[in-house]
Amino acid sequence: MLVAPSILSADFGHLATDVIAICEGGCDFVHVDVMDGHFVPNLTIGPVVVEAVAKAATKPLDIHLMVENNNFFVELFAPLKPEFISFHIEEEKHPHRLIQKIRSYGIRPAITLNPHTPPEAIEFLLEDLEMVLLMSVNPGFGGQKFISSVLERAKRLKQLIEKRNPACLIEVDGGVNDGNIKMLEEAGVDVVVAGSFVYAHPEGVNAAISALK
Ligand code: DX5
Ligand code: ZN
């Protein structure tokens, strides 16, 4: 299982230290939640802060856009050369065009689906995608309860992926912990995002990342 801790649960007063900790603790990607206060009822960080995160990180960034104007934010974050940029399908009229744009920057394109969105919604985009992110909470905040219907969505997505583009990864984000990771793995999930489980773990981030792996 690949693990992408979400820095939304880090201590923003010591952000570089907390980014270094997860990288040294064996994470695979650094998950960065970008919220605009419009698509979701929360506001997080822009390119100035993410640039500092990129400087501290020794692992690639996985940028999760939760914004209304995807095109604008893709242009804003592309110069930071993240590994992935994902955008929400619910907020994009021209997803195929935006996928091509992300790829033109040398960044791996991904699409995120809210808890109500069936995987079939993106079936005909799969061959152009590197990853699909399934939300297992409503986007906007860390520390929420896991919505277990994501397991069925992951299984259905896995079948579509096997047919259309077996190299495409499945990522799940929200409420992930050591109690549901096994079910996620059995459902075909490749990458998990975990915020509060990693940063609030009583034995520290290394123990949390090892427990998930
Ligand atoms: C929610 C974010 C998540 C969140 C996960 O909108 O996309 O990445 O930080 O936090 P936990 O793991 O605490 O649910
Ligand atoms: Zn996220």
Side-chain angles (χ1 to χ4, degrees):
M1 184 65 82
L2 299 171
V3 177
S6 164
I7 58 163
L8 190 58
S9 296
D11 176 352
F12 275 68
H14 302 93
L15 189 52
T17 309
D18 276 7
V19 169
I20 292 165
I22 53 171
C23 293
E24 289 181 350
C27 79
D28 298 284
F29 304 109
V30 175
H31 186 81
V32 178
D33 289 304
V34 174
M35 307 183 190
D36 68 348
H38 297 280
F39 178 64
V40 287
N42 197 4
L43 188 59
T44 58
I45 52 179
V48 174
V49 177
V50 179
E51 191 175 357
V53 171
K55 240 180 229 164
T58 51
K59 299 291 170 65
L61 303 193
D62 169 28
I63 295 185
H64 173 193
L65 297 179
M66 285 160 273
V67 300
E68 276 190 352
N69 191 343
N70 285 308
N71 202 61
F72 170 77
F73 282 89
V74 165
E75 286 173 4
L76 209 54
F77 287 101
L80 301 179
K81 296 277 171 222
E83 179 83 6
F84 297 100
I85 292 183
S86 69
F87 63 88
H88 275 260
I89 192 69
E90 300 84 8
E91 195 53 52
E92 186 51 52
K93 285 198 191 94
H94 300 289
H96 189 271
R97 181 181 293 154
L98 191 59
I99 289 168
Q100 306 309 321
K101 180 167 192 162
I102 294 170
R103 206 178 272 289
S104 75
Y105 290 116
I107 298 165
R108 299 169 76 189
I111 282 188
T112 307
L113 309 184
N114 266 337
H116 72 279
T117 305
E120 288 74 15
I122 55 151
E123 175 167 5
F124 295 101
L125 295 170
L126 284 174
E127 64 180 294
D128 299 299
L129 287 171
E130 297 277 337
M131 187 163 77
V132 177
L133 169 48
L134 297 175
M135 291 307 298
S136 42
V137 296
N138 285 297
F141 303 93
Q144 302 181 79
K145 191 176 171 287
F146 182 76
I147 299 170
S148 58
S149 56
V150 74
L151 296 168
E152 190 185 336
R153 288 197 302 143
K155 286 178 196 155
R156 273 161 57 173
L157 176 59
K158 184 75 182 170
Q159 286 182 347
L160 296 176
I161 280 178
E162 269 162 13
K163 191 161 83 176
R164 305 271 175 202
N165 177 10
C168 182
L169 298 171
I170 302 178
E171 182 177 45
V172 165
D173 183 1
V176 173
N177 56 41
D178 55 356
N180 51 33
I181 189 91
K182 187 79 194 144
M183 291 183 285
L184 289 166
E185 195 217 355
E186 285 165 3
V189 174
D190 306 288
V191 189
V192 289
V193 177
S196 48
F197 180 75
V198 168
Y199 279 110
H201 197 283
E203 286 154 46
V205 298
N206 292 29
I209 294 167
S210 309
L212 294 174
K213 284 196 165 277

